[in-house]
Amino acid sequence: RSRAARRHGPRPRRPPSRSATSGPAGQRAGRRVGLNAEPPEPPGSVEAPRGIAFLGLGLIGGSVARAVRDARLSRAPRLVAWSPTGRGPVEAAAAGIIDAAARDAAAAVDGADLVVLAGPPGACLAWLDRLAGPLAPALAPGVTIADVASTKGRIVARADALGLRFVGGHPMAGREVVGFGASRAGLFADRPRFLIPGAAAGPRDRAPSLTHI
């Protein structure tokens, strides 16, 4: 050893680089882990939906519709909604947020390339059954189905069992009031979102499922 080394003691060890450090669940440091481990498609890499249908249009669904209207997409999609009571879609159409309040669920999903299930978990399960059954003839080829319900396990499993191209979603946002009248375009701003693609979903399905809004 040199005199300098003896005088100053052993040289401190350099910490391993971030690229060589493993994080939780075997993921390398710097990569997201868990349900949202895969990065979303970059904006503009996948064409935005031409038509979006909402089944249910309360606080969350209404906020999604408002966010779409404020997103300044290169081509504004046609927004159509239906709900069991009809109140939310009628209010949204009157406010100019959606293009039409459909008379029934079949008319809402007809030709849409993205269908958003915006109701409670039980309703989403029932709508999945209808989309794979009596509503199937109204669905466009290759349609992506998404949801914004608060639970995911049973919903994703049901979509997989039915063979639907499904991407489950859970925006971590809300308010103390409900209904379309409480919806806000900025409700999801700077808020985390979980995306849980089903077995039949690929990268093409993930991108239009609200990741760019």
Side-chain angles (χ1 to χ4, degrees):
R1 297 174 63 188
S2 66
R3 290 182 182 178
R6 288 195 298 268
R7 184 165 59 250
H8 296 292
R11 180 180 298 175
R13 296 180 61 187
R14 295 178 61 187
S17 66
R18 289 181 60 86
S19 61
T21 303
S22 294
Q27 300 289 331
R28 291 186 180 276
R31 292 186 61 191
R32 286 176 290 180
V33 299
L35 296 175
N36 209 18
E38 294 187 25
E41 296 287 332
S45 64
V46 176
E47 186 178 351
R50 296 182 297 276
I52 303 177
F54 294 86
L55 298 185
L57 201 72
L59 169 64
I60 301 299
S63 295
V64 172
R66 290 181 184 275
V68 172
R69 280 292 180 241
D70 283 5
R72 298 182 180 178
L73 301 174
S74 57
R75 180 177 56 192
R78 175 174 169 79
L79 307 185
V80 180
W82 170 87
S83 74
T85 67
R87 288 193 297 269
V90 168
E91 291 180 42
I97 302 302
I98 65 172
D99 296 289
R103 65 182 181 276
D104 54 35
V109 303
D110 186 23
D113 48 5
L114 174 62
V115 176
V116 179
L117 309 183
C124 290
L125 289 170
W127 287 335
L128 287 172
D129 290 337
R130 294 183 64 190
L131 289 168
L135 295 178
L139 297 177
V143 62
T144 299
I145 299 169
D147 86 316
V148 291
S150 57
T151 62
K152 284 289 152 291
R154 291 180 62 196
I155 294 175
V156 176
R158 181 72 61 84
D160 287 349
L162 295 170
L164 297 171
R165 299 172 69 158
F166 181 78
V167 180
H170 185 193
M172 305 298 287
R175 300 185 67 195
E176 68 281 0
V177 288
V178 297
F180 176 80
S183 62
R184 297 290 182 270
L187 185 66
F188 311 118
D190 301 319
R191 302 297 301 171
R193 287 164 288 182
F194 290 103
L195 294 179
I196 305 90
R204 172 207 167 277
D205 302 296
R206 294 185 182 96
S209 65
L210 316 182
T211 61
H212 62 288
I213 297 173

